[in-house]
């Protein structure tokens, strides 16, 4: 097996570390919000934002005026975290309370997507990642909108996942206590879509919306 570099090797509870690309992709594909950490003016900043994964790249987009986008475009080292919480672990002791989760951490430097066609393809990748088929239904980006939008790409190279599953793990002596222990599992519920209050009459619900929640690609 390939040696995991120290930077990305999970040290705390190392048996929860996963480095296989396919498993990392699976977690990234269940979510669409990441938190990006970077240094700005000597201060560590963490900013939540949308992302899309295509092949071995994570695409991030934002306003040309965004501090985050401008800083990332300087080629600084960044760290990206994606988190999915699957349940609360209620142990007998407060100490062993925890959560079931799947998370990914990626390090690296983002690079600017250049060229009109390349930018459109990258924006489509973000859109497709979040809601399949919506790109084709919506009006495409104008030149002015493209000029106002920066798209960056981060290779999924220096990456790790960490996954906790199962029930509480208590101290041996605590199993005799009369204290309830177990898991509160979480699922994400997708509610019925609400049409815009100024939507023109006679516009049917499109497939991307109808299918959201039905397809395996849905983020739930
Ligand atoms: C929803 C959630 C809740 C958590 N709650 C707590 C908590 O309350 N207290 C706590 O101490 N820890 C918690 N963790 C675990 C936490 O993310 C860290 O793994 C842990 O704190 C060890 O941090 P460290 O810097 O010592 O990691 P180290 O093991 O030293 O990290 C080394 C490298 O391993 C990788 N790595 C570490 N953690 C993760 C991760 N979560 N996902 C992917 N790669 C990772 C990174 O590449 C990192 O640079 C939680 C995780 C999640 C997802």
């Amino acid at each position: 097996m390939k040696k995991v570099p120290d930077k990305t090797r999970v040290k705390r509870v190392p048996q929860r570390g996963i480095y296989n690309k396919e498993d990392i992709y699976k977690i990234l594909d269940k979510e669409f919000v990441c938190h990006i950490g970077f240094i700005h003016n000597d201060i560590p900043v963490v900013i939540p934002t949308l992302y899309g994964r295509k092949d071995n790249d994570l695409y991030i987009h934002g306003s040309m005026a965004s501090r985050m986008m401008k800083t990332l475009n300087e080629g600084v080292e960044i760290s990206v975290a994606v988190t999915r919480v699957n349940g609360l672990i209620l142990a007998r002791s407060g100490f062993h309370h925890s959560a079931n989760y799947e998370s990914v951490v990626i390090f690296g430097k983002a690079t600017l997507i250049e060229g009109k066609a390349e930018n459109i393809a990258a924006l489509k990748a973000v859109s497709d990642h979040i809601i399949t088929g919506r790109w084709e239904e919506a009006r495409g980006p104008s030149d002015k909108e493209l000029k106002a939008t920066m798209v960056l790409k981060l290779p999924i190279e220096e990456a790790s996942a960490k996954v906790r599953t199962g029930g509480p793990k208590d101290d041996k002596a605590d199993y005799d206590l009369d204290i309830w222990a177990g898991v509160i599992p979480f699922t994400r519920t997708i509610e019925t879509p609400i049409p815009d209050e100024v939507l023109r009459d006679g516009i049917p619900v499109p497939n991307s919306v109808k299918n959201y929640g039905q397809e395996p690609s849905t983020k739930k």
Side-chain angles (χ1 to χ4, degrees), residues 12-13 15-16 87-101 164-175 177 179-184:
R12 278 293 302 145
V13 203
Q15 62 276 22
R16 293 189 184 150
L88 281 184
I89 303 299
L90 309 183
R92 288 156 187 84
S93 67
F95 184 83
H96 285 297
H97 276 63
S98 186
N100 275 342
Y101 58 78
R164 189 203 190 279
T165 55
K169 292 174 181 67
D170 270 302
D171 292 344
K172 231 178 186 174
D174 289 344
Y175 283 89
L177 296 172
I179 297 171
W180 191 91
V183 182
I184 303 177

Short mmCIF file of all heavy atoms in Angstrom, two decimals, residues 12-13 15-16 87-101 164-175 177 179-184:
data_model
loop_
_atom_site.label_atom_id
_atom_site.label_comp_id
_atom_site.label_asym_id
_atom_site.label_seq_id
_atom_site.Cartn_x
_atom_site.Cartn_y
_atom_site.Cartn_z
N ARG A 12 -5.00 11.15 15.25
CA ARG A 12 -5.98 10.89 16.32
C ARG A 12 -6.94 9.82 15.81
O ARG A 12 -7.61 10.01 14.81
CB ARG A 12 -6.78 12.16 16.65
CG ARG A 12 -6.13 13.13 17.58
CD ARG A 12 -5.95 12.64 18.99
NE ARG A 12 -7.19 12.23 19.65
CZ ARG A 12 -7.30 11.23 20.51
NH1 ARG A 12 -6.25 10.47 20.78
NH2 ARG A 12 -8.44 10.97 21.08
N VAL A 13 -7.01 8.71 16.49
CA VAL A 13 -7.84 7.56 16.09
C VAL A 13 -7.54 7.21 14.62
O VAL A 13 -8.42 7.32 13.75
CB VAL A 13 -9.36 7.81 16.33
CG1 VAL A 13 -10.09 6.48 16.45
CG2 VAL A 13 -9.62 8.67 17.53
N GLN A 15 -7.33 4.61 12.91
CA GLN A 15 -8.13 3.60 12.20
C GLN A 15 -9.35 4.21 11.48
O GLN A 15 -9.99 3.56 10.67
CB GLN A 15 -8.56 2.45 13.13
CG GLN A 15 -9.45 2.82 14.29
CD GLN A 15 -8.69 3.33 15.52
OE1 GLN A 15 -7.56 3.79 15.42
NE2 GLN A 15 -9.32 3.27 16.68
N ARG A 16 -9.67 5.45 11.81
CA ARG A 16 -10.79 6.12 11.12
C ARG A 16 -10.33 6.82 9.84
O ARG A 16 -11.15 7.39 9.11
CB ARG A 16 -11.45 7.14 12.06
CG ARG A 16 -12.14 6.46 13.21
CD ARG A 16 -12.98 7.44 14.03
NE ARG A 16 -13.53 6.72 15.18
CZ ARG A 16 -13.81 7.26 16.35
NH1 ARG A 16 -13.63 8.55 16.54
NH2 ARG A 16 -14.30 6.54 17.34
N GLY A 87 -25.10 11.26 12.96
CA GLY A 87 -25.79 10.92 14.20
C GLY A 87 -25.07 11.43 15.42
O GLY A 87 -23.90 11.82 15.35
N LEU A 88 -25.81 11.43 16.53
CA LEU A 88 -25.21 11.79 17.81
C LEU A 88 -24.98 10.53 18.62
O LEU A 88 -25.86 9.67 18.70
CB LEU A 88 -26.16 12.70 18.60
CG LEU A 88 -26.22 14.18 18.22
CD1 LEU A 88 -27.14 14.92 19.18
CD2 LEU A 88 -24.83 14.81 18.24
N ILE A 89 -23.82 10.42 19.20
CA ILE A 89 -23.48 9.27 20.03
C ILE A 89 -23.64 9.68 21.48
O ILE A 89 -22.94 10.58 21.97
CB ILE A 89 -21.99 8.86 19.79
CG1 ILE A 89 -21.75 8.57 18.31
CG2 ILE A 89 -21.59 7.68 20.66
CD1 ILE A 89 -22.56 7.44 17.76
N LEU A 90 -24.58 9.03 22.15
CA LEU A 90 -24.83 9.33 23.56
C LEU A 90 -24.26 8.18 24.39
O LEU A 90 -24.80 7.07 24.38
CB LEU A 90 -26.32 9.50 23.82
CG LEU A 90 -27.04 10.49 22.88
CD1 LEU A 90 -28.50 10.65 23.27
CD2 LEU A 90 -26.36 11.85 22.87
N ALA A 91 -23.17 8.46 25.05
CA ALA A 91 -22.49 7.44 25.86
C ALA A 91 -22.97 7.54 27.31
O ALA A 91 -23.74 8.43 27.66
CB ALA A 91 -20.98 7.64 25.78
N ARG A 92 -22.51 6.60 28.12
CA ARG A 92 -22.88 6.63 29.54
C ARG A 92 -22.15 7.76 30.25
O ARG A 92 -22.70 8.38 31.16
CB ARG A 92 -22.57 5.27 30.19
CG ARG A 92 -23.56 4.21 29.71
CD ARG A 92 -23.01 2.80 29.83
NE ARG A 92 -23.91 1.84 29.21
CZ ARG A 92 -23.92 1.55 27.90
NH1 ARG A 92 -23.10 2.16 27.06
NH2 ARG A 92 -24.77 0.66 27.42
N SER A 93 -20.94 8.03 29.84
CA SER A 93 -20.18 9.15 30.42
C SER A 93 -20.23 10.32 29.45
O SER A 93 -20.32 10.12 28.22
CB SER A 93 -18.71 8.74 30.61
OG SER A 93 -18.12 8.54 29.34
N GLY A 94 -20.17 11.52 30.01
CA GLY A 94 -20.11 12.70 29.15
C GLY A 94 -18.87 12.66 28.26
O GLY A 94 -18.91 13.04 27.09
N PHE A 95 -17.79 12.13 28.79
CA PHE A 95 -16.50 12.08 28.10
C PHE A 95 -16.59 11.36 26.76
O PHE A 95 -15.97 11.77 25.77
CB PHE A 95 -15.48 11.37 29.01
CG PHE A 95 -14.08 11.34 28.46
CD1 PHE A 95 -13.23 12.42 28.61
CD2 PHE A 95 -13.62 10.22 27.77
CE1 PHE A 95 -11.94 12.39 28.09
CE2 PHE A 95 -12.33 10.18 27.26
CZ PHE A 95 -11.49 11.27 27.42
N HIS A 96 -17.37 10.27 26.72
CA HIS A 96 -17.41 9.45 25.50
C HIS A 96 -18.54 9.83 24.55
O HIS A 96 -18.79 9.12 23.58
CB HIS A 96 -17.48 7.97 25.87
CG HIS A 96 -16.16 7.44 26.35
ND1 HIS A 96 -15.04 7.40 25.55
CD2 HIS A 96 -15.77 6.96 27.56
CE1 HIS A 96 -14.02 6.91 26.23
NE2 HIS A 96 -14.42 6.64 27.46
N HIS A 97 -19.24 10.94 24.83
CA HIS A 97 -20.21 11.41 23.83
C HIS A 97 -19.46 11.81 22.56
O HIS A 97 -18.32 12.28 22.63
CB HIS A 97 -21.00 12.61 24.38
CG HIS A 97 -22.16 12.20 25.23
ND1 HIS A 97 -21.99 11.53 26.41
CD2 HIS A 97 -23.50 12.34 25.05
CE1 HIS A 97 -23.18 11.27 26.94
NE2 HIS A 97 -24.12 11.75 26.12
N SER A 98 -20.11 11.59 21.45
CA SER A 98 -19.42 11.84 20.19
C SER A 98 -20.45 12.03 19.07
O SER A 98 -21.63 12.26 19.36
CB SER A 98 -18.49 10.65 19.88
OG SER A 98 -17.70 10.90 18.75
N ALA A 99 -20.00 11.92 17.85
CA ALA A 99 -20.90 11.99 16.69
C ALA A 99 -20.44 10.97 15.67
O ALA A 99 -19.25 10.63 15.62
CB ALA A 99 -20.85 13.39 16.09
N ASN A 100 -21.39 10.46 14.89
CA ASN A 100 -21.01 9.69 13.71
C ASN A 100 -20.87 10.66 12.56
O ASN A 100 -21.72 11.55 12.38
CB ASN A 100 -22.06 8.61 13.40
CG ASN A 100 -21.82 7.35 14.21
OD1 ASN A 100 -20.73 7.15 14.74
ND2 ASN A 100 -22.84 6.51 14.32
N TYR A 101 -19.82 10.52 11.80
CA TYR A 101 -19.56 11.50 10.75
C TYR A 101 -18.74 10.90 9.61
O TYR A 101 -18.13 9.83 9.75
CB TYR A 101 -18.83 12.72 11.31
CG TYR A 101 -17.51 12.41 11.98
CD1 TYR A 101 -16.35 12.16 11.24
CD2 TYR A 101 -17.41 12.36 13.37
CE1 TYR A 101 -15.14 11.87 11.85
CE2 TYR A 101 -16.20 12.07 14.00
CZ TYR A 101 -15.07 11.82 13.23
OH TYR A 101 -13.88 11.53 13.85
N ARG A 164 -16.49 8.05 11.32
CA ARG A 164 -16.87 7.34 12.56
C ARG A 164 -18.25 6.73 12.35
O ARG A 164 -19.17 7.41 11.88
CB ARG A 164 -16.92 8.29 13.76
CG ARG A 164 -17.10 7.51 15.08
CD ARG A 164 -17.69 8.31 16.20
NE ARG A 164 -17.61 7.61 17.48
CZ ARG A 164 -18.45 6.66 17.89
NH1 ARG A 164 -19.47 6.28 17.11
NH2 ARG A 164 -18.30 6.07 19.07
N THR A 165 -18.37 5.47 12.67
CA THR A 165 -19.67 4.78 12.59
C THR A 165 -19.89 4.02 13.90
O THR A 165 -18.98 3.91 14.72
CB THR A 165 -19.69 3.76 11.42
OG1 THR A 165 -18.59 2.86 11.60
CG2 THR A 165 -19.60 4.41 10.07
N GLY A 166 -21.07 3.48 14.06
CA GLY A 166 -21.34 2.59 15.20
C GLY A 166 -21.89 3.31 16.41
O GLY A 166 -22.29 4.47 16.34
N GLY A 167 -21.89 2.60 17.51
CA GLY A 167 -22.50 3.11 18.74
C GLY A 167 -21.49 3.69 19.70
O GLY A 167 -20.33 3.88 19.35
N PRO A 168 -21.95 3.96 20.93
CA PRO A 168 -21.04 4.53 21.93
C PRO A 168 -19.96 3.54 22.36
O PRO A 168 -20.19 2.32 22.32
CB PRO A 168 -21.96 4.86 23.12
CG PRO A 168 -23.23 4.17 22.87
CD PRO A 168 -23.32 3.79 21.44
N LYS A 169 -18.83 4.07 22.72
CA LYS A 169 -17.74 3.21 23.23
C LYS A 169 -17.40 3.71 24.62
O LYS A 169 -16.68 4.69 24.79
CB LYS A 169 -16.52 3.29 22.30
CG LYS A 169 -16.82 2.63 20.96
CD LYS A 169 -15.71 2.82 19.96
CE LYS A 169 -16.05 2.17 18.63
NZ LYS A 169 -17.17 2.81 17.91
N ASP A 170 -17.98 3.02 25.63
CA ASP A 170 -17.82 3.49 27.00
C ASP A 170 -16.67 2.78 27.71
O ASP A 170 -16.19 1.74 27.25
CB ASP A 170 -19.13 3.23 27.77
CG ASP A 170 -20.07 4.41 27.67
OD1 ASP A 170 -19.67 5.52 28.06
OD2 ASP A 170 -21.21 4.22 27.18
N ASP A 171 -16.29 3.32 28.86
CA ASP A 171 -15.32 2.64 29.72
C ASP A 171 -16.01 1.39 30.28
O ASP A 171 -17.21 1.43 30.59
CB ASP A 171 -14.89 3.55 30.88
CG ASP A 171 -14.06 4.72 30.38
OD1 ASP A 171 -13.58 4.66 29.23
OD2 ASP A 171 -13.92 5.70 31.14
N LYS A 172 -15.23 0.33 30.44
CA LYS A 172 -15.75 -0.97 30.87
C LYS A 172 -16.68 -0.84 32.09
O LYS A 172 -17.82 -1.33 32.08
CB LYS A 172 -14.59 -1.89 31.22
CG LYS A 172 -14.68 -3.23 30.55
CD LYS A 172 -13.47 -4.06 30.90
CE LYS A 172 -13.52 -5.35 30.11
NZ LYS A 172 -12.32 -6.13 30.29
N ALA A 173 -16.23 -0.14 33.11
CA ALA A 173 -16.97 -0.04 34.37
C ALA A 173 -18.31 0.67 34.18
O ALA A 173 -19.27 0.41 34.92
CB ALA A 173 -16.12 0.70 35.40
N ASP A 174 -18.41 1.55 33.20
CA ASP A 174 -19.62 2.35 33.02
C ASP A 174 -20.79 1.56 32.44
O ASP A 174 -21.93 2.01 32.49
CB ASP A 174 -19.32 3.56 32.13
CG ASP A 174 -18.45 4.59 32.86
OD1 ASP A 174 -18.36 4.50 34.10
OD2 ASP A 174 -17.88 5.47 32.19
N TYR A 175 -20.51 0.36 31.86
CA TYR A 175 -21.60 -0.44 31.27
C TYR A 175 -22.58 -0.92 32.34
O TYR A 175 -23.71 -1.28 32.02
CB TYR A 175 -21.04 -1.62 30.46
CG TYR A 175 -20.52 -1.16 29.10
CD1 TYR A 175 -19.20 -0.73 28.95
CD2 TYR A 175 -21.35 -1.11 27.98
CE1 TYR A 175 -18.73 -0.27 27.73
CE2 TYR A 175 -20.89 -0.66 26.76
CZ TYR A 175 -19.57 -0.23 26.63
OH TYR A 175 -19.12 0.22 25.41
N LEU A 177 -23.77 1.05 34.67
CA LEU A 177 -24.57 2.21 35.12
C LEU A 177 -25.97 2.19 34.51
O LEU A 177 -26.16 1.72 33.38
CB LEU A 177 -23.86 3.51 34.71
CG LEU A 177 -22.49 3.77 35.35
CD1 LEU A 177 -21.84 4.98 34.70
CD2 LEU A 177 -22.63 3.98 36.86
N ILE A 179 -27.74 4.22 32.97
CA ILE A 179 -27.80 5.44 32.15
C ILE A 179 -28.06 5.02 30.71
O ILE A 179 -27.37 4.14 30.19
CB ILE A 179 -26.46 6.22 32.24
CG1 ILE A 179 -26.23 6.69 33.68
CG2 ILE A 179 -26.46 7.41 31.27
CD1 ILE A 179 -24.84 7.27 33.92
N TRP A 180 -29.05 5.65 30.07
CA TRP A 180 -29.37 5.29 28.67
C TRP A 180 -28.19 5.68 27.78
O TRP A 180 -27.59 6.76 27.93
CB TRP A 180 -30.64 6.02 28.21
CG TRP A 180 -31.13 5.48 26.88
CD1 TRP A 180 -32.02 4.47 26.68
CD2 TRP A 180 -30.73 5.92 25.57
NE1 TRP A 180 -32.19 4.23 25.34
CE2 TRP A 180 -31.40 5.11 24.63
CE3 TRP A 180 -29.84 6.89 25.09
CZ2 TRP A 180 -31.25 5.26 23.26
CZ3 TRP A 180 -29.68 7.04 23.72
CH2 TRP A 180 -30.39 6.22 22.81
N ALA A 181 -27.89 4.81 26.87
CA ALA A 181 -26.82 5.10 25.89
C ALA A 181 -27.27 4.62 24.52
O ALA A 181 -28.06 3.67 24.42
CB ALA A 181 -25.53 4.40 26.30
N GLY A 182 -26.83 5.24 23.51
CA GLY A 182 -27.19 4.83 22.15
C GLY A 182 -26.86 5.90 21.13
O GLY A 182 -26.00 6.75 21.36
N VAL A 183 -27.58 5.82 20.00
CA VAL A 183 -27.31 6.73 18.88
C VAL A 183 -28.60 7.44 18.49
O VAL A 183 -29.67 6.81 18.47
CB VAL A 183 -26.81 5.93 17.65
CG1 VAL A 183 -26.48 6.86 16.48
CG2 VAL A 183 -25.62 5.07 18.00
N ILE A 184 -28.53 8.71 18.22
CA ILE A 184 -29.65 9.40 17.54
C ILE A 184 -29.21 9.58 16.09
O ILE A 184 -28.36 10.43 15.80
CB ILE A 184 -29.96 10.77 18.18
CG1 ILE A 184 -30.27 10.63 19.68
CG2 ILE A 184 -31.14 11.43 17.44
CD1 ILE A 184 -30.52 11.96 20.39
#
